[in-house]
Amino acid sequence: MVAKYDYENYKTTTKKWNKTMSGHQVMPSLSESVRAKSLLRSRLEKPNNFLQSRMPNIKVFSGTSHPELAQKIVDRLGIDLGKVVTKKFSNLETCVEIGESVRGEDVYIVQSGSGEVNDNLMELLIMINACKIASASRVTAVIPCFPYARQDKKDKSRAPISAKLVANMLSVAGADHIITMDLHASQIQGFFDIPVDNLYAEPAVLKWIKENITEWRDSIIVSPDAGGAKRVTSIADRLNVDFALIHKERKNANEVASMVLVGFVKDRVAILVDDMADTCGTICLAAEKLMDAGATKVYAILTHGILSGPAISRINNACFEAVVVTNTIPQDEHMKDCPKVRCIDVSMMFAEAVRRTHNGESVSYLFSNVPY
């Protein structure tokens, strides 16, 4: 682009030799002609770094919640992670310093809603705003695990819809686009007035099942609650196997009162599928229910493995063959503490979503395929 522009500049300059103005021929100065020639020659002999760049006008920054995932994303894209310094003042206020120019750039900020959720959310908002007021052309928030996604409806008197509040905060901070994965409720996409790409872990889950469960053709996919029925039927259809459902009633948050199994699991491998697991009380009770009903083995596959509180000890004491989670949330510590926890890498899906978004391509391919 630069070389072409200089060539046009050079042609325009040399055309002045033949330009007539008010009956007089106007000739460029010798220095002007020589400068245009030398500039054109230098551009042709030494290509500009801008032209050599694999993905121009893009910057990817990482928050402190999941730097490993951000590094895997940029490694796949073939670019370097942007320089950013995040720290806290003595009163625990978050301070962010963007270490390079983002003027006119397509900026992507990777920050997951895990760990210290409130601090990480505030850090994300500040990073978005810092890039926006530094004249970034577009700021996309890549949020693998969307914070407050479980508070998506007013299910009792005076209950807040916190997911809507988070959506408003992201928009006000200056986000132009959101990329996330397996929202707890798909209607959260409607909380935004900006585009939201909700990726699905399903293609990666299907791939893991086929590669790691030898008896998958004789398995049954089970949803631990009625809300996940659609997710489970989709996976069962693509594997061409049966599905079952566990109806649960809760007394309080994170406390299940009773469970009823709907379906036949006797002498079959049961695969529990859910979008997230926090304290793991539900899936551990579900696994016990399935074993009592005659299942030979029980696997659990979860997109967002929060695994807080007593989750790890519960999994260790439960009858799972494996509890499979994705790396939308850091899992290294969980895998050290519990040998049953396995991890599916979904960084390639986010990297491909970033690449396609940056190049103006459709991301719908990722809804049913794992990029290679």
Side-chain angles (χ1 to χ4, degrees), residues 81-150:
L81 204 58
K83 297 175 184 176
V84 61
V85 177
T86 57
K87 57 186 178 182
K88 290 185 185 298
F89 293 123
S90 59
N91 65 347
L92 300 182
E93 283 185 1
T94 299
C95 176
V96 174
E97 297 175 8
I98 305 297
E100 52 192 86
S101 173
V102 295
R103 185 178 296 275
E105 302 282 346
D106 190 9
V107 175
Y108 296 82
I109 301 172
V110 182
Q111 182 81 312
S112 193
S114 60
E116 298 177 349
V117 178
N118 296 332
D119 285 350
N120 291 336
L121 175 59
M122 196 65 206
E123 183 180 284
L124 173 61
L125 296 172
I126 294 171
M127 290 178 72
I128 291 170
N129 191 248
C131 292
K132 201 64 181 178
I133 63 177
S135 300
S137 66
R138 181 174 63 173
V139 179
T140 299
V142 181
I143 313 174
C145 179
F146 194 84
Y148 291 91
R150 284 177 285 184

Side-chain angles (χ1 to χ4, degrees), residues 31-322:
S31 61
E32 188 179 359
S33 178
V34 170
R35 186 163 59 250
K37 286 180 179 179
S38 63
L39 188 59
L40 174 63
R41 189 180 301 112
S42 67
R43 295 297 188 192
L44 293 175
E45 291 175 355
K46 184 180 180 181
N48 191 281
N49 289 336
F50 178 88
L51 296 176
Q52 290 179 326
S53 176
R54 185 177 169 190
M55 290 185 71
N57 289 109
I58 185 173
K59 292 287 174 67
V60 178
F61 296 101
S62 173
T64 57
S65 68
H66 203 346
E68 296 86 3
L69 179 63
Q71 188 61 56
K72 287 182 178 181
I73 290 172
V74 296
D75 287 345
R76 185 175 175 88
L77 294 174
I79 59 177
D80 294 324
L81 204 58
K83 297 175 184 176
V84 61
V85 177
T86 57
K87 57 186 178 182
K88 290 185 185 298
F89 293 123
S90 59
N91 65 347
L92 300 182
E93 283 185 1
T94 299
C95 176
V96 174
E97 297 175 8
I98 305 297
E100 52 192 86
S101 173
V102 295
R103 185 178 296 275
E105 302 282 346
D106 190 9
V107 175
Y108 296 82
I109 301 172
V110 182
Q111 182 81 312
S112 193
S114 60
E116 298 177 349
V117 178
N118 296 332
D119 285 350
N120 291 336
L121 175 59
M122 196 65 206
E123 183 180 284
L124 173 61
L125 296 172
I126 294 171
M127 290 178 72
I128 291 170
N129 191 248
C131 292
K132 201 64 181 178
I133 63 177
S135 300
S137 66
R138 181 174 63 173
V139 179
T140 299
V142 181
I143 313 174
C145 179
F146 194 84
Y148 291 91
R150 284 177 285 184
Q151 300 181 43
D152 61 302
K153 58 184 177 294
K154 190 171 181 178
D155 53 0
K156 55 188 173 184
S157 298
R158 297 175 296 281
I161 306 177
S162 303
K164 170 63 174 171
L165 176 61
V166 172
N168 290 342
M169 291 165 69
L170 289 166
S171 297
V172 171
D176 299 296
H177 182 208
I178 305 292
I179 298 175
T180 186
M181 177 171 276
D182 275 4
L183 284 170
H184 186 64
S186 58
Q187 68 262 23
I188 293 175
Q189 295 174 82
F191 293 171
F192 290 89
D193 293 324
I194 56 177
V196 177
D197 283 321
N198 181 31
L199 305 178
Y200 299 103
E202 182 182 305
V205 167
L206 291 168
K207 182 180 178 184
W208 190 93
I209 290 173
K210 291 178 179 178
E211 292 177 353
N212 295 275
I213 302 177
T214 54
E215 315 97 321
W216 67 267
R217 288 182 177 83
D218 191 34
S219 65
I220 183 165
I221 312 299
V222 185
S223 174
D225 56 31
K230 186 175 180 181
R231 183 183 304 108
V232 163
T233 53
S234 176
I235 293 175
D237 287 345
R238 293 188 63 179
L239 290 174
N240 196 26
V241 297
D242 294 332
F243 69 92
L245 177 70
I246 293 177
H247 174 68
K248 67 180 180 182
E249 294 180 358
R250 289 186 183 274
K251 288 181 181 176
N252 301 302
N254 294 327
E255 186 178 344
V256 178
S258 63
M259 284 188 162
V260 178
L261 175 63
V262 182
F264 299 98
V265 299
K266 187 174 176 58
D267 299 328
R268 306 175 82 173
V269 174
I271 304 174
L272 279 164
V273 176
D274 206 356
D275 66 319
M276 67 170 60
D278 191 352
T279 58
C280 291
T282 299
I283 63 164
C284 288
L285 283 174
E288 186 179 336
K289 191 79 176 177
L290 291 168
M291 291 300 287
D292 291 343
T296 56
K297 294 179 182 177
V298 179
Y299 292 84
I301 301 181
L302 317 156
T303 304
H304 309 299
I306 301 171
L307 307 185
S308 64
I312 295 298
S313 63
R314 284 176 174 174
I315 293 172
N316 280 325
N317 295 326
C319 53
F320 292 111
E321 289 290 316

Side-chain angles (χ1 to χ4, degrees), residues 19-40:
K19 185 176 180 182
T20 302
M21 184 180 295
S22 301
H24 298 282
Q25 200 171 27
V26 180
M27 298 176 63
S29 65
L30 182 61
S31 61
E32 188 179 359
S33 178
V34 170
R35 186 163 59 250
K37 286 180 179 179
S38 63
L39 188 59
L40 174 63

